Amino acid sequence: MAETTRHSEPRYGNRPTMKDVAARAGVGLKTVSRVVNSEPGVTPDTERRVQEAIDALGFRRNDSARVLRKGRTASIGLVLEDLADPFYGPLSRAVEEVARAHGALLINGSSAEDPEREEELVLALCARRVDGLIVIPAGDDHRYLEPEIKAGIATVFVDRPAGRIEADMVLSDSFGGAREGVAHLIAHGHRRIGFIGDQPRIHTATERLRGYHAAMTDAGITVEDSWVSLGSTEPERVRPAAETMLSGPEPVTALFAGNNRVTVTAVRVLAGRERPVALVGFDDIELADLLGITVISQDAAAVGRTAAEHLFRRLDGADHSPARVELPTRLIPRGSGELRPA
Amino acid sequence: MAETTRHSEPRYGNRPTMKDVAARAGVGLKTVSRVVNSEPGVTPDTERRVQEAIDALGFRRNDSARVLRKGRTASIGLVLEDLADPFYGPLSRAVEEVARAHGALLINGSSAEDPEREEELVLALCARRVDGLIVIPAGDDHRYLEPEIKAGIATVFVDRPAGRIEADMVLSDSFGGAREGVAHLIAHGHRRIGFIGDQPRIHTATERLRGYHAAMTDAGITVEDSWVSLGSTEPERVRPAAETMLSGPEPVTALFAGNNRVTVTAVRVLAGRERPVALVGFDDIELADLLGITVISQDAAAVGRTAAEHLFRRLDGADHSPARVELPTRLIPRGSGELRPA
DNA sequence: TAGGCCCTGGACAACGTTGTCAGAGGAATG
DNA sequence: CATTCCTCTGACAACGTTGTCCAGGGCCTA
């Protein structure tokens, strides 16, 4: 009778398993496991035989099986908005470094600001049983994470607070930063100051707007509706928004840009104009020093590092109640924010 | 007698399993599996009962176990140099999008240009049994990957060729791009042209240098040793290298920067000088248009997309021999490269 | 009403690893 | 020489899922 093949296709391209190594080395399965994991209690001679078999067969431990058995994946998930965004690159890298220091791998995904996609990604990561999650929220309702967190997946929210759920958070001081930036413009003589920001659904956008209003109110300035524009940060939207504020009988004399993408477009718009217009942007950008752009800088790497360290402290058993860390921002004057009204 | 607890700690914080769901719904294990995987052969009524149990318990399938059983992880690994580098952000994002379209997650790691760290990362990913691997090599010997590739892990090398191993590659035309850039400078009257590049260990660095030499030779110019400087791309090294070339009795009148980091430092150095010096940089950088920097641009997203698509074609069974794809670069004149010698 | 077929559901093994435990053999001790 | 203790090793179960196979019941047809 022919042997029965119960499965349709060979898995893993027929990789050798510990069983194969054991057979070849003439030892028991568990002994191979011990060698692979550098556990004590193996004679040097046995170890050598096993090691030879491993090399000869090209064996590599299957971590999927290991994970199943041990219950820890030694990996964490990072869900952010867009890996291609210059703010998130360094953040992601910082998280990776911390993960690496803890022997963990990083799985990351971009939500593209789509709450559904965020949830899908997060849940996929949970299904993989990542040990922990760092999430830069796109949506504002994270109750779907409740069972996961309860089940033990440590979670830290970054840059924006979690929605309708108790959790650790690491934020930048959006309100304070924007307030400082706008106050800086006011201190240089501006009163008609425009604000171009991200969609109001996004927490940092509204916080920065709140900072703008606070600074204006502090100075006794009444904000006109036409000075504020929220929405997508695509150039196609930001450009006309800026153009509008800068034209008309009573144009603004200064602009506050709500994030790095807005700043970039604003710089382009202003570059094409004769009358100088002051500009302060939230988030630093590469080469901003050469272009003389005054910014409110948040240290993306520090944010990532802080969040990751917090996460691993949790994983290592820290059991304090959910914390909220707020990192300060820094005003870097470079010229564009110090222009006086024409 | 008390029940025996065989294991030290509860895994996964005591997550419910399919068994628990089955018990609660009063059905068999496999039926739950069927519902979870939307397999046919379950009455609507049964399905509803199972679904209710799932929701009530907050069950989520353990993909580790699934992977073990199925042999496919639906994830790919990406090893690059530095996620924080503006060239790799978009590349990584492009890879992610393709992966997503194929239902796969992306695990990535930064090698920090360290061959050992590259190997460590790659092997860790292999141990996780990623279905495929995209590697931007740091080292120049990848024989360690041979057993892995033989065992079925599809691999594509990007940006730099694999060392001592047959494999798919997706490269940019570094030689051609550099040659074109340098020729552009020559066409604008320069003869004394400096080249500042990355470490010679890195393939793209030597290719670009080769392009530089080719263009110079084409124009009948003999390159002086002092015009060429290879090494780390840290500002601390690039800055003095540039300063040296620009001083002395016979300074260069133009610079060719070997990659984006070098370009950035070069721009900073040149900004502090009176005499205008022409500059062409390899890799485009954000805001380069505003700064008027002429560059040789390679489309990072296109490189990533091409590589990922290639990888998935392999995974879907394409069995052609290893291919080598070379993507063209594009010269974007913006002013700095069109300056004539003083 | 009997026979056959299809549809649904469940028992069981297997994926590759690690934790537990017990046994074999040698050294040390009385 | 017998006993104890220790070291090294291997058999076995379990992790949570999916593939295979079989059983039972309902329905249709003759």
Side-chain angles (χ1 to χ4, degrees):
Chain A
M1 201 195 290
E3 81 230 82
T4 14
T5 307
R6 300 185 53 126
H7 303 105
S8 25
E9 27 172 334
R11 287 162 232 301
Y12 308 124
N14 268 339
R15 286 195 87 113
T17 71
M18 282 193 180
K19 206 167 146 189
D20 302 320
V21 175
R24 170 152 188 148
V27 302
L29 187 54
K30 180 65 209 204
T31 300
V32 178
S33 171
R34 274 192 268 260
V35 171
V36 170
N37 295 295
S38 315
E39 283 172 27
V42 180
T43 345
D45 181 60
T46 311
E47 173 162 2
R48 189 187 42 73
R49 283 211 327 280
V50 170
Q51 195 57 57
E52 278 172 13
I54 288 177
D55 294 341
L57 296 174
F59 167 80
R60 181 149 342 266
R61 180 179 63 198
N62 184 331
D63 273 356
S64 294
R66 172 168 226 250
V67 156
L68 177 60
R69 190 62 236 257
K70 303 205 73 144
R72 286 253 159 167
T73 56
S75 57
I76 65 172
L78 170 61
V79 175
L80 37 70
E81 190 219 318
D82 180 2
L83 207 39
D85 184 301
F87 178 71
Y88 294 113
L91 190 153
S92 181
R93 176 68 199 274
V95 170
E96 189 202 334
E97 286 305 319
V98 177
R100 181 176 139 84
H102 288 260
L105 282 179
L106 179 64
I107 308 182
N108 47 20
S110 305
S111 68
E113 287 294 7
D114 176 353
E116 250 178 74
R117 187 161 158 180
E118 173 206 302
E119 177 169 346
E120 184 191 311
L121 256 171
V122 166
L123 292 183
L125 292 169
C126 289
R128 304 252 161 159
R129 299 294 190 268
V130 291
D131 297 335
L133 265 179
I134 296 182
V135 180
I136 293 160
D140 50 8
D141 185 351
H142 297 90
R143 280 174 297 176
Y144 69 86
L145 258 172
E146 237 159 29
E148 312 299 332
I149 293 178
K150 203 170 295 168
I153 298 191
T155 306
V156 176
F157 287 82
V158 174
D159 197 41
R160 310 163 190 171
R164 318 184 67 171
I165 203 179
E166 286 281 305
D168 290 316
M169 303 178 207
V170 175
L171 312 174
S172 275
D173 183 12
S174 282
F175 171 76
R179 182 183 202 161
E180 183 183 7
V182 174
H184 186 73
L185 288 168
I186 295 171
H188 284 82
H190 297 273
R191 296 188 65 81
R192 307 182 61 83
I193 302 173
F195 179 98
I196 307 183
D198 210 333
Q199 308 171 53
R201 172 168 75 66
I202 294 169
H203 177 260
T204 50
T206 56
E207 279 296 292
R208 290 169 197 179
L209 178 59
R210 209 163 62 76
Y212 165 83
H213 278 297
M216 295 296 260
T217 304
D218 288 349
I221 303 171
T222 308
V223 174
E224 293 182 17
D225 287 352
S226 63
W227 297 352
V228 172
S229 167
L230 298 185
S232 139
T233 58
E234 299 288 318
E236 296 77 50
R237 187 200 72 88
V238 173
R239 180 172 283 276
E243 306 270 11
T244 307
M245 288 184 198
L246 294 169
S247 353
E250 288 198 304
V252 300
T253 63
L255 277 180
F256 187 88
N259 75 15
N260 55 357
R261 277 179 304 251
V262 174
T263 306
V264 168
T265 304
V267 170
R268 296 220 162 92
V269 170
L270 296 186
R273 309 213 134 224
E274 282 171 34
R275 183 169 55 87
V277 173
L279 172 70
V280 172
F282 211 112
D283 293 338
D284 204 355
I285 19 183
E286 183 146 50
L287 299 183
D289 55 337
L290 287 175
L291 287 162
I293 307 172
T294 298
V295 298
I296 306 296
S297 153
Q298 42 176 344
D299 187 342
V303 171
R305 200 180 324 112
T306 307
E309 279 165 358
H310 202 82
L311 184 70
F312 280 101
R313 232 172 291 132
R314 276 256 184 249
L315 287 178
D316 290 347
D319 204 21
H320 41 81
S321 54
R324 181 186 175 118
V325 179
E326 198 153 281
L327 297 177
T329 58
R330 198 160 52 93
L331 173 78
I332 308 180
R334 294 199 182 110
S336 77
E338 292 72 43
L339 293 173
R340 302 211 151 252
Chain B
M1 200 194 288
E3 80 233 79
T4 15
T5 307
R6 300 184 54 129
H7 303 105
S8 25
E9 26 173 335
R11 288 163 231 301
Y12 306 125
N14 267 340
R15 286 194 86 112
T17 70
M18 282 194 180
K19 205 166 146 191
D20 302 322
V21 175
R24 170 148 186 151
V27 302
L29 187 54
K30 181 65 209 207
T31 301
V32 178
S33 172
R34 275 192 268 262
V35 171
V36 169
N37 295 294
S38 315
E39 284 172 27
V42 181
T43 356
D45 181 60
T46 310
E47 174 163 2
R48 191 186 42 73
R49 282 207 334 275
V50 170
Q51 194 56 58
E52 278 173 13
I54 288 177
D55 294 340
L57 295 173
F59 166 81
R60 184 154 335 270
R61 179 179 65 197
N62 184 331
D63 272 356
S64 294
R66 171 168 227 251
V67 157
L68 177 59
R69 190 63 236 258
K70 304 205 72 146
R72 285 255 159 165
T73 55
S75 57
I76 65 173
L78 170 62
V79 176
L80 37 70
E81 189 220 318
D82 180 2
L83 248 188
D85 184 302
F87 178 71
Y88 294 113
L91 190 151
S92 181
R93 177 68 200 273
V95 171
E96 189 203 335
E97 286 303 319
V98 176
R100 180 177 140 84
H102 288 260
L105 282 178
L106 180 64
I107 307 183
N108 47 20
S110 305
S111 68
E113 285 295 6
D114 176 353
E116 250 179 74
R117 188 161 157 181
E118 173 206 302
E119 176 169 347
E120 183 190 311
L121 257 172
V122 166
L123 291 183
L125 292 168
C126 289
R128 305 253 161 156
R129 299 292 190 269
V130 291
D131 297 334
L133 215 43
I134 295 180
V135 181
I136 291 159
D140 50 10
D141 186 351
H142 296 91
R143 280 174 298 176
Y144 69 87
L145 257 171
E146 236 160 28
E148 311 298 333
I149 292 178
K150 203 170 295 167
I153 298 192
T155 305
V156 176
F157 287 83
V158 174
D159 197 39
R160 309 164 192 172
R164 319 182 67 171
I165 203 180
E166 286 280 306
D168 290 315
M169 303 179 208
V170 175
L171 311 173
S172 275
D173 182 12
S174 282
F175 171 76
R179 180 182 204 163
E180 182 184 6
V182 174
H184 185 75
L185 289 168
I186 295 171
H188 283 83
H190 296 273
R191 295 188 65 81
R192 307 183 61 84
I193 303 172
F195 179 97
I196 306 182
D198 210 333
Q199 308 172 53
R201 170 168 76 66
I202 293 169
H203 178 260
T204 50
T206 56
E207 278 296 291
R208 290 169 197 181
L209 179 58
R210 209 162 62 77
Y212 165 83
H213 277 296
M216 296 298 261
T217 304
D218 288 348
I221 304 171
T222 309
V223 174
E224 293 183 15
D225 286 353
S226 64
W227 298 352
V228 172
S229 166
L230 298 186
S232 139
T233 57
E234 298 289 317
E236 296 77 51
R237 186 199 73 89
V238 173
R239 179 172 283 277
E243 306 269 10
T244 307
M245 289 184 198
L246 294 169
S247 350
E250 286 197 304
V252 300
T253 63
L255 278 179
F256 187 87
N259 75 15
N260 55 356
R261 278 179 303 250
V262 174
T263 306
V264 167
T265 304
V267 170
R268 296 222 161 91
V269 170
L270 297 186
R273 308 214 134 223
E274 282 170 34
R275 182 170 56 87
V277 173
L279 173 70
V280 172
F282 211 111
D283 293 338
D284 203 355
I285 18 181
E286 183 146 49
L287 298 184
D289 55 337
L290 286 175
L291 288 162
I293 307 171
T294 298
V295 298
I296 305 296
S297 153
Q298 43 176 343
D299 186 342
V303 171
R305 201 178 324 115
T306 306
E309 278 165 359
H310 202 83
L311 183 70
F312 280 102
R313 231 173 292 132
R314 275 254 184 251
L315 288 177
D316 291 347
D319 205 22
H320 42 80
S321 55
R324 181 187 176 116
V325 178
E326 198 153 281
L327 297 177
T329 59
R330 198 160 52 93
L331 172 78
I332 307 180
R334 295 200 181 109
S336 77
E338 293 72 42
L339 293 173
R340 303 210 149 250

